[in-house]
Amino acid sequence: MKTVNRNLLLFVIPAALGLILGIVLLVQGDAIVGAAKEMVPQAPQGEVGDVEGYAMIGSALGAGLGGLAGFAIQLFGMMAILYTAALLILSGVTRLVYGPTPGRILAYRILMGVTVVVLLSPVPDILRTFVRALADGSFLPLWLVYLVVVFILAVKVCHNTYTDKIYH
């Protein structure tokens, strides 16, 4: 298998999995928002006592917080979709640019550098979150897995792209 095809697979497979995750989060967030809308209490007929009034306020507060949580999940899903779609598009265009001439290899290397920068763009924020969580005494293993996988992908792709392996 050619090195450029390996580079493409190193981007496409994780990005496709991230895209699926983003779609699942978007759908689940929509379901949570729908459930929160159903929790909104209906105005009762007649006079409302203190206990019923406080129960309505509590139910409305719970529905509002549930809706907010659903919206946050949807927002995270949309960000994941945009991030992975950008990676998929950039890696596809980068592969299409590749050719055996020196000019096309240079263009491939430049576009691959841009793709790696996009891949690494969320790392500072995630690393900051991970370190703050460690300082507070909690451990976030999913963020650690993400950071390790992203760094391994970036190193492998850069080694394949910026060495003589690109010619094979």
Side-chain angles (χ1 to χ4, degrees):
M1 180 183 288
K2 293 173 87 172
T3 302
V4 291
N5 292 336
R6 279 191 209 117
N7 283 350
L8 180 66
L9 285 177
L10 286 173
F11 277 113
V12 167
I13 292 172
L17 293 174
L19 186 64
I20 291 169
L21 174 69
I23 291 170
V24 166
L25 288 174
L26 197 61
V27 170
Q28 290 300 317
D30 189 45
I32 292 172
V33 168
K37 284 181 183 177
E38 292 176 6
M39 287 175 49
V40 175
Q42 301 298 323
Q45 301 295 334
E47 190 173 319
V48 177
D50 288 345
V51 175
E52 291 88 5
Y54 289 130
M56 287 177 54
I57 291 172
S59 295
L61 182 63
L65 289 176
L68 186 63
F71 177 70
I73 290 171
Q74 283 181 320
L75 185 63
F76 191 73
M78 284 186 255
M79 289 186 333
I81 289 171
L82 288 173
Y83 172 65
T84 56
L87 281 176
L88 286 171
I89 291 169
L90 276 172
S91 59
V93 168
T94 302
R95 175 60 183 99
L96 290 174
V97 165
Y98 178 78
T101 63
R104 292 188 75 144
I105 289 177
L106 177 63
Y108 176 81
R109 286 178 169 169
I110 291 169
L111 283 174
M112 188 54 75
V114 171
T115 307
V116 170
V117 167
V118 170
L119 174 73
L120 296 175
S121 63
V123 167
D125 292 329
I126 291 173
L127 188 60
R128 187 177 317 116
T129 302
F130 181 73
V131 169
R132 283 183 184 165
L134 279 179
D136 291 340
S138 62
F139 179 65
L140 304 173
L142 248 50
W143 289 133
L144 181 62
V145 169
Y146 172 81
L147 291 169
V148 168
V149 168
V150 164
F151 280 121
I152 289 172
L153 284 174
V155 168
K156 181 68 175 162
V157 166
C158 286
H159 176 71
N160 288 345
T161 302
Y162 300 109
T163 61
D164 287 338
K165 288 182 80 173
I166 196 67
Y167 297 109
H168 302 102

